[in-house]
Amino acid sequence: MPSLIAEANRINDFVVKFANVNGTGSASANSLIMKAIFRMGVPVTGKNYFPSNIQGLPTWYEIRVTREGYAARASHVDIMVAMNAETYAKDIRELRSGGYLIYDSTWPRSALLQRGDITVIAVPLAKLVNENFDGVRNRILLKNIAYAGVLAALLDVDLTVISALLSESYGKKPKLLDSNTRALRLGYDYVKENLTSPLPLRVEHMEKTRGHIMIDGNTAAGLGCVYAGATVGAWYPITPSTSLMDAFKGFCERYRVDAETGERNFAVLQAEDELAAVGMVLGASWNGARAFTPTSGPGISLMNEFIGLGYYAEVPCVIFDVQRVGPSTGMPTRTQQGDILICAYASHGDTRHVLLFPANPEECFYMAVQAFDLAERLQTPVFVLSDLDIGMNDWMCPDLKWDDAYQPDRGKVLSKQEIDGLEKFYRYLDRDDDAIPYRTLPGTSAKGAYFTRGSGHNQYGGYTEDSAEYQVVLDRLKRKFTTATKYVPKPVLIGKGNNSVGIVSIGSCDGAIREALDVLMLQKIEVDYLRIKAFPFNTDVEAFLKSHATIFVVEQNRDAQLKALLTLETAVEKSKLFSILSYSGLPISAHPIVDEIRAKLAEAPRLTAVPR
Amino acid sequence: MPSLIAEANRINDFVVKFANVNGTGSASANSLIMKAIFRMGVPVTGKNYFPSNIQGLPTWYEIRVTREGYAARASHVDIMVAMNAETYAKDIRELRSGGYLIYDSTWPRSALLQRGDITVIAVPLAKLVNENFDGVRNRILLKNIAYAGVLAALLDVDLTVISALLSESYGKKPKLLDSNTRALRLGYDYVKENLTSPLPLRVEHMEKTRGHIMIDGNTAAGLGCVYAGATVGAWYPITPSTSLMDAFKGFCERYRVDAETGERNFAVLQAEDELAAVGMVLGASWNGARAFTPTSGPGISLMNEFIGLGYYAEVPCVIFDVQRVGPSTGMPTRTQQGDILICAYASHGDTRHVLLFPANPEECFYMAVQAFDLAERLQTPVFVLSDLDIGMNDWMCPDLKWDDAYQPDRGKVLSKQEIDGLEKFYRYLDRDDDAIPYRTLPGTSAKGAYFTRGSGHNQYGGYTEDSAEYQVVLDRLKRKFTTATKYVPKPVLIGKGNNSVGIVSIGSCDGAIREALDVLMLQKIEVDYLRIKAFPFNTDVEAFLKSHATIFVVEQNRDAQLKALLTLETAVEKSKLFSILSYSGLPISAHPIVDEIRAKLAEAPRLTAVPR
Amino acid sequence: MSYINKPKVAHPSLPTNSLGLTRRQYEGSMSTLCAGCGHDSVTAAMVEACWGLSMQPEQLVKLSGIGCSSKTTAYFVSGSHGFNSVHGRMPSIASGANAANRSLTYVGISGDGDSLSIGMGQLVHVIRRNVNMLYLIENNGVYGLTKGQFSASADIGTKAKRGETNSSPPIDPVLLALTLGATFVARSFSGDKAQLVPLIQAGMRHNGFALIDVLSPCVTFNDHEGSTKSYGFTREHYHPAVEADFVPRAQEIAVDYPAGEAIPVSLHDGSRVILRKLDPLYDPTDRGAAYNYIENKLKQNEYVTGLIHIDEADNTEFHTLNRTAAMPLNSIPFERLSPGSVALDKLMARYR
Amino acid sequence: MSYINKPKVAHPSLPTNSLGLTRRQYEGSMSTLCAGCGHDSVTAAMVEACWGLSMQPEQLVKLSGIGCSSKTTAYFVSGSHGFNSVHGRMPSIASGANAANRSLTYVGISGDGDSLSIGMGQLVHVIRRNVNMLYLIENNGVYGLTKGQFSASADIGTKAKRGETNSSPPIDPVLLALTLGATFVARSFSGDKAQLVPLIQAGMRHNGFALIDVLSPCVTFNDHEGSTKSYGFTREHYHPAVEADFVPRAQEIAVDYPAGEAIPVSLHDGSRVILRKLDPLYDPTDRGAAYNYIENKLKQNEYVTGLIHIDEADNTEFHTLNRTAAMPLNSIPFERLSPGSVALDKLMARYR
Ligand SMILES: Cc1ncc(C[n+]2csc(CCOP(=O)(O)OP(=O)(O)O)c2C)c(N)n1
Ligand SMILES: Cc1ncc(C[n+]2csc(CCOP(=O)(O)OP(=O)(O)O)c2C)c(N)n1
Ligand code: SF4
Ligand code: SF4
Ligand SMILES: [Mg+2]
Ligand SMILES: [Mg+2]
């Protein structure tokens, strides 16, 4: 976005949006184009805007070709591939002035003629496909590949790269390979024969994707759980978290099944609901397995009672909340960061929970591992707050790496020998002065047996209704949260750190903010940016808040939930914090951030960004 | 508490505590004494500290005789009636220096002799009772009445008043009346014949309870629901909220059953769990009945998903949360104010809920009515945050009054005629610019029919996944919360309002704070006190926070949840707020408040309380 | 999803019911389900049934949870209020709504995921509570809306589209309802409208809780070879045992059935159900016998359909038990609900 | 509640089991239930059963929800881990715990409120999932801990202590479990320890989900005239149909039963259950027949007790279905769980 919107000749920097009907198989055509560009060494992002429906409703896919490697949604469309009659009008409106509209000219579309400031590219796709292929379903699918061919020609996408991709997909099904290749050529050749190509907006080989992959956050998180050594996954299906468990299962089938015996070193429990799913995780974790559950907002609401039990009885528990638009059922296929407060303070009574905020799929992988380490070290529920944008969209990330020296931090679990060495085992005693007690696992030793309960208990593990005994445990739990600040990942600072104006944010806002920083820089506005990776906030967060006079808190919800958490859980003065909010359900983009910061700084000159 | 602790001759100002075993029927003896004192015109409070158990564990009852009419728990014991061998040692320790211990001297208790600074009063209760009555169970019950007789003599309680109470209780059962009267006399006469009586701590007739009653908050709230015209109650049993529904049911049996037909103008649904209970309330309210559910912490956690639906689909809903000690199962028979945050922000996504904070049973009655008015006016869930102390203990309150001119505020419900007069009915349109839309009831008119959903919807009531349409509704919901500030009850100010130091609190802290104010006044420390009655906070709250330099926020939880809500939802600077917290599970008392305020003011002289 | 409204202009020649309404006037929003989804056939049956009953649109209340199936309520009778609640919790909404106004007709539409997994507790208890409503499960053996996971009604050995085999035993809502003492239990097939429509009508008129388990194939995720909930498999294995004709109150029974073959059952409101046993061994009025019959057939992979069990005599409907006033609770004048100041003053004596 | 610990000094003359442990060593904390509560008899039976099985204390895991009944787990075998979870959700804790370590013995203790109301969904699904555990319901027809409200197992017409009459039909956990295909279903009475102990032992050794519904009177809230769950009523109306003797693996069967009268059933671990039919008409191995028998007796107000149904052959226990490794999942070395860097590097190719 930085500077180029008005530029005519935009190599490797433009946005193509595909408007389609869901359930018609357009996904493979869209990702074919995206992957081809990626393999040409050009950074891309793909954002999928799909309905909460299985078949027949409008769906969009947006490919951003971004030589700068920006990860955020762009807020304009350069090329619209308008394949859905129902949304034609809306889709055309969305196109920027000077943009290109590609449509299926098999049927005349008079409405198309209404904008003079765009270039309309007509391709008789249905006609071409129907003349060359049989079968209703087949024709629908191949029409998508045909428009991929059209785009390939218009954007100058390397045909050999596309062919390679097709071969990889259909290599074992020669008939399909043949029809797909032919369909692709239909579109490609039509353009080459009938239209001027390539467009000024086009792709050129680069070298910027080497050592990178295209992956979605749920896949990465599922893989992270496998690498972390999780053996029990429990869940109840819910968009947009379902694919996390699908991924875990898939990787386990691959890596965790004994080739000879067929024995599985994992168990996936499809629970009857989310209450049961988190109960299973608590049961399994209590019993010494690494266990987790992926869910989304409604699931978190249902898990509240059990989360309180996990907090108070100090049972490890890893919960992935792939956030979607709330409240209530909300918009299940749109993204938001609306569960921050409910996760931080889930359940009745005095509770407080550890949160991790991955910013992209890469971090989903690493933070999945960290989540288990933290949950076991701290003996408490840990939430990984991803969202639909991270979880279900394809992001360009550096290759995932694994350090074979990694050993899981199982926390303070006593072995049989250790128990035998004790005079007596007391479950909730603060022996090490770090507010973390020791635990034992069932099956280890009768001497280490204790009784786990969510009702009042004293530090020895006994039942109590005594005020003082109750408070000893509750006070230690509060101190444990302080201990947690030492274990959670530190924030990431971008910028010199010595500006008076700062941005604080979390998770999937990262791409948009980094892009916004570039734009602001071009406008000579320099600000520091701190991306928080975890709650509780550690000293680095406090220091940043303290050292900046004006702080913009960027987040994707209506009620400024991150700002609320900062206000409550740090020493920051409220008057320093300004919210920049996005809660449309679409991933946040850089534009509004830039605009709001500029507006705010202009309105209050004292806020002007200067190095301290 | 103000001044008299050291005073020897304490008329109408002392604390008697009864230590017993639960399930032995001591409650009636304890309340006999309490009621008799009340009828003598002397203010009393009764606090019951009972275990989460049915029979056999220690239980205590504390009667505070308080000529000043203080409502809070005292933090000392003047007279201990030690009837439980298991807790003798602990009970004796609790007695203040100079206090009196009454015990059953049928069996020798050498441990009793260990304190020289108390007066031990030995009465061979079991012996007396066993000599005079038969039957194991009978003897256990009558022993309790016998110690009531002992106390009557020692404290100079009017025997005619006690006799009247017994007649009212057992009037229809002459045998029981006779045995109870005899048991009472056994104790009474033993004291008169063998001991010096009355004690310096004793009761004298006053005139301070006229126009007052002794009632618990759950009874008052249940009665309030009847008067509010609630017709559907749904619940799942949970301590300490169960007696609220018992009361509602009882009053309905009395006032709502047609004498001729036996037809009932109400329905009570014992749900299968709390998720179902709140679902029933939503269903009934949606369908035009006034409906409510009483619950406690774990129930609130389970209701989270449905509460979000109520918020987003704008369905009225009244929830009584009679708070108990959390987290998790916690201490079910102890009191706390630990559900403030979860109720204010219940459910995933951006949500925010209306809360009412009754301070005593009287307010439980009136606020029950207000809750229905607010829920229907605002079309949203409304929480009444009571607690175990208010809900289950007997408080002295002014007589409850009813204004027959009251008409329920059913809010914006369109009649058939009104619907017919519309061109088209749109459910979520802000026609009046107050952010409250109109609703219609099933059965009224096909033209007014609409589809209620917790998924994305536009202001017309249609399904949507469109960002702008979604935001129109979400933004209006936020504005609706501003509208709410105009409808919720205003805070109560005690004090001139012009001091620099203020106290802010809610609910059952009230008694302790009022008492603390008196003590502070004696020490020449004058502070203002604002008792907040509702969230959202209205302008009076803002003004108080603004005009006071130092503000103590008094509440009964570990994490300063009210302070958090004030910090987030008002303009107050954080640095002005100081927490005074009590989370032992026992009702807060005045002492610690006084001590903490004095300590704080001493430590920071700039905070010294001066009139502005 | 209901943002596309169909035009409702009635064609003058379309047949009308006793209210003068055409079938078109019982339609709802345009369906957004997959083309061919079984659930849309249920929608069509609902339209037909309501039209046939001359249902006053505003007298109907439509309730549902979350799922493709739960969207059905948006697709019929747009003149009645609908409540698309949360996943698995429609029964509590229905119980509360029904408590508030006993005079309306309540139809709940759910899915096998919505009812048998997350909603199991509420389903069991709404049956036990005997709330006067029709509860229809659109049973397809999968979670359609979340893309094809097995539901709790999936049979052992059935294959998912992606190849997995289900290994947990199925929960059969019909056996469950019989065990729990439901007084109206039926099963049907979305592909058999002739059977389904009178069952819906009878269920709506039954004075108590009526369950209809409708096998309703998911064409997108569960209509392949190897599935036991596909159209093909269902059509082959469904076994109509009792046909039911619904005869509205006003109507005379035209045909005389030979004795023994037809059992007329009178419903609460004067309408009747005429049962014709297709299998002479079958007795729909004997709950235990019905249970055995169904279970044995299930073992042979046969889904028994029809009005499996009906008991009009055992009247334990919620309001009857509660002795609720005849006037809907939501309409009782406030004066009759609030005891007033005099009563309160008097009551105070109890607390002194 | 378990803060009062009983002294565990073993008297030298007390009989010991094969581990050399006395019965005292299988006790737990002092009970805090009401004197005479049926649940305490279950505690005693659990102690006896575990002692008799020579159960290694740490190999046992005790799970429960919330209620008087759920406190039971604190009162036996203090040498084993206990988990007193939240109300109605013990089955999910049990499922997770069992998934993590298949080698331990799991006993869940619940109440009728805990299992049949708030816990209904989880109960149904833990049965369906066939988790290898003993699930014992201490059934008293009321919510004891919250002071005597009717539970979902209360019979129609039964009277509460305060006089109210229950009007909703009861849910019978035995019929429910049979309908859901449970492979071990028993009923007993807390007052009949001789019957209960071998049932517990067999249930603990059964390779799959075993349900025992124990009628366990609440002396405080439900033991009065007019209650159908009182000691008196239960004693009169309980109807032992199949006696079960449990024979541990090592032990030879001493007595020869006349053919036809006794049915030996071999359990997974080599131990055996010898069933003796007290009613010759009864066949505990036929699920359908068992269902009918129970149901008919229930109609006559008779609670059939004993090992109502057992099916050792139908082995669909959770881990078998899942094909879980024999080594407990919580003990598999990390090296075998984490695929390592080489595999990851290779995997990356898929995402380019
Ligand atoms: C609390 C909660 N968990 C999960 C979901 C996701 N979800 C939506 S529909 C559905 C299953 C629907 O299955 P079924 O009821 O059988 O309906 P079908 O789509 O098959 O008709 C699930 C799991 C949700 N909406 N809410
Ligand atoms: C979520 C929740 N709701 C309600 C309660 C209150 N509660 C505790 S025990 C209980 C019922 C227990 O009944 P049952 O399981 O039959 O046990 P019993 O006491 O009769 O043995 C209830 C309602 C709770 N602890 N948690
Ligand atoms: S996914 Fe299945 S159930 Fe859902 S609409 Fe499509 S066919 Fe119907
Ligand atoms: S209340 Fe009933 S169930 Fe609870 S301990 Fe007492 S007798 Fe047992
Ligand atoms: Mg389904
Ligand atoms: Mg019970």
Side-chain angles (χ1 to χ4, degrees), chain A residues 326 350 470 475 558 567 572 574 583, chain B residues 326 350 470 475 558 567 572 574 583:
Chain A
D350 289 310
Y470 160 81
D475 290 342
R558 183 195 67 181
T567 305
V572 73
K574 286 156 63 172
Y583 52 102
Chain B
D350 290 309
Y470 160 81
D475 290 343
R558 183 194 67 181
T567 305
V572 73
K574 287 156 61 170
Y583 53 102

PDB file of all heavy atoms in Angstrom, chain A residues 326 350 470 475 558 567 572 574 583, chain B residues 326 350 470 475 558 567 572 574 583:
ATOM      1  N   GLY A 326     -18.471 -12.176  17.188  1.00  0.00           N
ATOM      2  CA  GLY A 326     -19.551 -12.312  18.148  1.00  0.00           C
ATOM      3  C   GLY A 326     -20.371 -11.060  18.148  1.00  0.00           C
ATOM      4  O   GLY A 326     -20.164 -10.201  17.303  1.00  0.00           O
ATOM      5  N   ASP A 350     -12.984 -15.006  41.604  1.00  0.00           N
ATOM      6  CA  ASP A 350     -11.728 -14.349  41.231  1.00  0.00           C
ATOM      7  C   ASP A 350     -10.856 -15.302  40.437  1.00  0.00           C
ATOM      8  O   ASP A 350     -10.316 -16.267  40.989  1.00  0.00           O
ATOM      9  CB  ASP A 350     -10.990 -13.915  42.511  1.00  0.00           C
ATOM     10  CG  ASP A 350     -11.682 -12.750  43.196  1.00  0.00           C
ATOM     11  OD1 ASP A 350     -11.976 -11.748  42.512  1.00  0.00           O
ATOM     12  OD2 ASP A 350     -11.939 -12.849  44.412  1.00  0.00           O
ATOM     13  N   TYR A 470      -8.564 -20.886  53.334  1.00  0.00           N
ATOM     14  CA  TYR A 470      -9.023 -20.574  51.978  1.00  0.00           C
ATOM     15  C   TYR A 470      -8.183 -19.452  51.375  1.00  0.00           C
ATOM     16  O   TYR A 470      -7.737 -19.527  50.230  1.00  0.00           O
ATOM     17  CB  TYR A 470     -10.500 -20.191  52.029  1.00  0.00           C
ATOM     18  CG  TYR A 470     -11.004 -19.409  50.843  1.00  0.00           C
ATOM     19  CD1 TYR A 470     -11.343 -20.057  49.657  1.00  0.00           C
ATOM     20  CD2 TYR A 470     -11.154 -18.019  50.890  1.00  0.00           C
ATOM     21  CE1 TYR A 470     -11.813 -19.340  48.557  1.00  0.00           C
ATOM     22  CE2 TYR A 470     -11.615 -17.297  49.810  1.00  0.00           C
ATOM     23  CZ  TYR A 470     -11.945 -17.957  48.648  1.00  0.00           C
ATOM     24  OH  TYR A 470     -12.393 -17.248  47.561  1.00  0.00           O
ATOM     25  N   ASP A 475      -4.503 -16.442  47.806  1.00  0.00           N
ATOM     26  CA  ASP A 475      -3.410 -15.470  47.704  1.00  0.00           C
ATOM     27  C   ASP A 475      -2.240 -16.045  46.909  1.00  0.00           C
ATOM     28  O   ASP A 475      -1.614 -15.362  46.107  1.00  0.00           O
ATOM     29  CB  ASP A 475      -2.939 -15.050  49.098  1.00  0.00           C
ATOM     30  CG  ASP A 475      -3.983 -14.203  49.809  1.00  0.00           C
ATOM     31  OD1 ASP A 475      -4.886 -13.672  49.142  1.00  0.00           O
ATOM     32  OD2 ASP A 475      -3.900 -14.077  51.049  1.00  0.00           O
ATOM     33  N   ARG A 558     -15.164  -4.225  19.120  1.00  0.00           N
ATOM     34  CA  ARG A 558     -15.877  -2.962  19.329  1.00  0.00           C
ATOM     35  C   ARG A 558     -15.502  -2.298  20.639  1.00  0.00           C
ATOM     36  O   ARG A 558     -15.431  -1.078  20.739  1.00  0.00           O
ATOM     37  CB  ARG A 558     -17.391  -3.237  19.339  1.00  0.00           C
ATOM     38  CG  ARG A 558     -18.255  -1.996  19.478  1.00  0.00           C
ATOM     39  CD  ARG A 558     -19.704  -2.361  19.839  1.00  0.00           C
ATOM     40  NE  ARG A 558     -19.796  -2.933  21.182  1.00  0.00           N
ATOM     41  CZ  ARG A 558     -20.928  -3.352  21.751  1.00  0.00           C
ATOM     42  NH1 ARG A 558     -22.066  -3.286  21.075  1.00  0.00           N
ATOM     43  NH2 ARG A 558     -20.917  -3.859  22.973  1.00  0.00           N
ATOM     44  N   THR A 567      -5.372  -1.370  30.720  1.00  0.00           N
ATOM     45  CA  THR A 567      -5.789  -0.409  31.743  1.00  0.00           C
ATOM     46  C   THR A 567      -5.833  -1.066  33.115  1.00  0.00           C
ATOM     47  O   THR A 567      -5.397  -0.501  34.110  1.00  0.00           O
ATOM     48  CB  THR A 567      -7.183   0.144  31.385  1.00  0.00           C
ATOM     49  OG1 THR A 567      -7.129   0.689  30.077  1.00  0.00           O
ATOM     50  CG2 THR A 567      -7.611   1.221  32.373  1.00  0.00           C
ATOM     51  N   VAL A 572      -0.353   1.796  33.519  1.00  0.00           N
ATOM     52  CA  VAL A 572      -0.512   2.876  32.537  1.00  0.00           C
ATOM     53  C   VAL A 572      -1.636   3.840  32.914  1.00  0.00           C
ATOM     54  O   VAL A 572      -2.674   3.437  33.427  1.00  0.00           O
ATOM     55  CB  VAL A 572      -0.765   2.280  31.131  1.00  0.00           C
ATOM     56  CG1 VAL A 572      -2.161   1.696  31.012  1.00  0.00           C
ATOM     57  CG2 VAL A 572      -0.551   3.334  30.059  1.00  0.00           C
ATOM     58  N   LYS A 574      -4.749   5.940  31.996  1.00  0.00           N
ATOM     59  CA  LYS A 574      -5.772   5.760  30.974  1.00  0.00           C
ATOM     60  C   LYS A 574      -5.697   6.823  29.876  1.00  0.00           C
ATOM     61  O   LYS A 574      -5.935   6.542  28.706  1.00  0.00           O
ATOM     62  CB  LYS A 574      -7.156   5.833  31.626  1.00  0.00           C
ATOM     63  CG  LYS A 574      -7.499   4.621  32.425  1.00  0.00           C
ATOM     64  CD  LYS A 574      -8.546   4.894  33.500  1.00  0.00           C
ATOM     65  CE  LYS A 574      -9.857   5.335  32.914  1.00  0.00           C
ATOM     66  NZ  LYS A 574     -10.897   5.401  33.995  1.00  0.00           N
ATOM     67  N   TYR A 583     -13.937  -3.709  13.648  1.00  0.00           N
ATOM     68  CA  TYR A 583     -14.775  -4.868  13.997  1.00  0.00           C
ATOM     69  C   TYR A 583     -15.806  -5.161  12.923  1.00  0.00           C
ATOM     70  O   TYR A 583     -16.937  -5.547  13.197  1.00  0.00           O
ATOM     71  CB  TYR A 583     -15.447  -4.675  15.364  1.00  0.00           C
ATOM     72  CG  TYR A 583     -16.212  -3.375  15.527  1.00  0.00           C
ATOM     73  CD1 TYR A 583     -17.600  -3.341  15.443  1.00  0.00           C
ATOM     74  CD2 TYR A 583     -15.546  -2.189  15.800  1.00  0.00           C
ATOM     75  CE1 TYR A 583     -18.295  -2.161  15.591  1.00  0.00           C
ATOM     76  CE2 TYR A 583     -16.241  -1.006  15.957  1.00  0.00           C
ATOM     77  CZ  TYR A 583     -17.603  -0.998  15.844  1.00  0.00           C
ATOM     78  OH  TYR A 583     -18.291   0.176  16.000  1.00  0.00           O
TER      79      TYR A 583
ATOM     80  N   GLY B 326     -16.212 -18.082  45.335  1.00  0.00           N
ATOM     81  CA  GLY B 326     -15.586 -18.800  44.237  1.00  0.00           C
ATOM     82  C   GLY B 326     -14.099 -18.838  44.448  1.00  0.00           C
ATOM     83  O   GLY B 326     -13.626 -18.466  45.516  1.00  0.00           O
ATOM     84  N   ASP B 350     -18.216  -8.877  21.987  1.00  0.00           N
ATOM     85  CA  ASP B 350     -18.431  -7.604  22.679  1.00  0.00           C
ATOM     86  C   ASP B 350     -19.810  -7.581  23.314  1.00  0.00           C
ATOM     87  O   ASP B 350     -20.818  -7.490  22.608  1.00  0.00           O
ATOM     88  CB  ASP B 350     -18.305  -6.443  21.680  1.00  0.00           C
ATOM     89  CG  ASP B 350     -16.867  -6.243  21.210  1.00  0.00           C
ATOM     90  OD1 ASP B 350     -15.989  -6.157  22.080  1.00  0.00           O
ATOM     91  OD2 ASP B 350     -16.642  -6.182  19.989  1.00  0.00           O
ATOM     92  N   TYR B 470     -23.907  -5.295   9.890  1.00  0.00           N
ATOM     93  CA  TYR B 470     -23.589  -5.850  11.208  1.00  0.00           C
ATOM     94  C   TYR B 470     -23.218  -4.735  12.175  1.00  0.00           C
ATOM     95  O   TYR B 470     -23.683  -4.686  13.318  1.00  0.00           O
ATOM     96  CB  TYR B 470     -22.446  -6.859  11.052  1.00  0.00           C
ATOM     97  CG  TYR B 470     -21.690  -7.176  12.323  1.00  0.00           C
ATOM     98  CD1 TYR B 470     -22.202  -8.087  13.249  1.00  0.00           C
ATOM     99  CD2 TYR B 470     -20.459  -6.569  12.598  1.00  0.00           C
ATOM    100  CE1 TYR B 470     -21.505  -8.381  14.418  1.00  0.00           C
ATOM    101  CE2 TYR B 470     -19.758  -6.857  13.759  1.00  0.00           C
ATOM    102  CZ  TYR B 470     -20.284  -7.760  14.665  1.00  0.00           C
ATOM    103  OH  TYR B 470     -19.598  -8.040  15.818  1.00  0.00           O
ATOM    104  N   ASP B 475     -23.264  -1.081  16.835  1.00  0.00           N
ATOM    105  CA  ASP B 475     -23.083   0.282  17.339  1.00  0.00           C
ATOM    106  C   ASP B 475     -24.317   0.749  18.113  1.00  0.00           C
ATOM    107  O   ASP B 475     -24.204   1.422  19.124  1.00  0.00           O
ATOM    108  CB  ASP B 475     -22.809   1.242  16.175  1.00  0.00           C
ATOM    109  CG  ASP B 475     -21.437   0.998  15.555  1.00  0.00           C
ATOM    110  OD1 ASP B 475     -20.600   0.347  16.212  1.00  0.00           O
ATOM    111  OD2 ASP B 475     -21.213   1.442  14.417  1.00  0.00           O
ATOM    112  N   ARG B 558     -11.255 -10.827  45.948  1.00  0.00           N
ATOM    113  CA  ARG B 558      -9.802 -10.706  45.970  1.00  0.00           C
ATOM    114  C   ARG B 558      -9.289  -9.723  44.926  1.00  0.00           C
ATOM    115  O   ARG B 558      -8.304  -9.017  45.143  1.00  0.00           O
ATOM    116  CB  ARG B 558      -9.178 -12.084  45.674  1.00  0.00           C
ATOM    117  CG  ARG B 558      -7.657 -12.123  45.730  1.00  0.00           C
ATOM    118  CD  ARG B 558      -7.093 -13.409  45.105  1.00  0.00           C
ATOM    119  NE  ARG B 558      -7.341 -13.458  43.666  1.00  0.00           N
ATOM    120  CZ  ARG B 558      -6.973 -14.455  42.877  1.00  0.00           C
ATOM    121  NH1 ARG B 558      -6.377 -15.529  43.397  1.00  0.00           N
ATOM    122  NH2 ARG B 558      -7.226 -14.436  41.578  1.00  0.00           N
ATOM    123  N   THR B 567     -12.743   1.592  36.900  1.00  0.00           N
ATOM    124  CA  THR B 567     -11.578   2.003  36.109  1.00  0.00           C
ATOM    125  C   THR B 567     -11.904   1.975  34.619  1.00  0.00           C
ATOM    126  O   THR B 567     -11.541   2.867  33.870  1.00  0.00           O
ATOM    127  CB  THR B 567     -10.399   1.053  36.399  1.00  0.00           C
ATOM    128  OG1 THR B 567     -10.163   1.035  37.797  1.00  0.00           O
ATOM    129  CG2 THR B 567      -9.144   1.495  35.671  1.00  0.00           C
ATOM    130  N   VAL B 572     -12.533   8.082  35.720  1.00  0.00           N
ATOM    131  CA  VAL B 572     -11.695   8.241  36.914  1.00  0.00           C
ATOM    132  C   VAL B 572     -10.222   7.901  36.656  1.00  0.00           C
ATOM    133  O   VAL B 572      -9.909   6.959  35.917  1.00  0.00           O
ATOM    134  CB  VAL B 572     -12.244   7.370  38.074  1.00  0.00           C
ATOM    135  CG1 VAL B 572     -11.978   5.898  37.839  1.00  0.00           C
ATOM    136  CG2 VAL B 572     -11.648   7.815  39.415  1.00  0.00           C
ATOM    137  N   LYS B 574      -6.890   6.188  37.644  1.00  0.00           N
ATOM    138  CA  LYS B 574      -6.626   4.989  38.439  1.00  0.00           C
ATOM    139  C   LYS B 574      -5.959   5.314  39.766  1.00  0.00           C
ATOM    140  O   LYS B 574      -6.217   4.678  40.785  1.00  0.00           O
ATOM    141  CB  LYS B 574      -5.720   4.037  37.650  1.00  0.00           C
ATOM    142  CG  LYS B 574      -6.411   3.349  36.510  1.00  0.00           C
ATOM    143  CD  LYS B 574      -5.451   2.905  35.418  1.00  0.00           C
ATOM    144  CE  LYS B 574      -4.431   1.912  35.900  1.00  0.00           C
ATOM    145  NZ  LYS B 574      -3.661   1.331  34.768  1.00  0.00           N
ATOM    146  N   TYR B 583     -12.290 -10.941  51.501  1.00  0.00           N
ATOM    147  CA  TYR B 583     -12.731 -12.135  50.754  1.00  0.00           C
ATOM    148  C   TYR B 583     -12.551 -13.393  51.581  1.00  0.00           C
ATOM    149  O   TYR B 583     -12.188 -14.445  51.067  1.00  0.00           O
ATOM    150  CB  TYR B 583     -12.006 -12.230  49.413  1.00  0.00           C
ATOM    151  CG  TYR B 583     -10.497 -12.161  49.471  1.00  0.00           C
ATOM    152  CD1 TYR B 583      -9.715 -13.306  49.359  1.00  0.00           C
ATOM    153  CD2 TYR B 583      -9.851 -10.940  49.612  1.00  0.00           C
ATOM    154  CE1 TYR B 583      -8.339 -13.239  49.413  1.00  0.00           C
ATOM    155  CE2 TYR B 583      -8.472 -10.865  49.672  1.00  0.00           C
ATOM    156  CZ  TYR B 583      -7.729 -12.012  49.562  1.00  0.00           C
ATOM    157  OH  TYR B 583      -6.358 -11.938  49.622  1.00  0.00           O
TER     158      TYR B 583
END
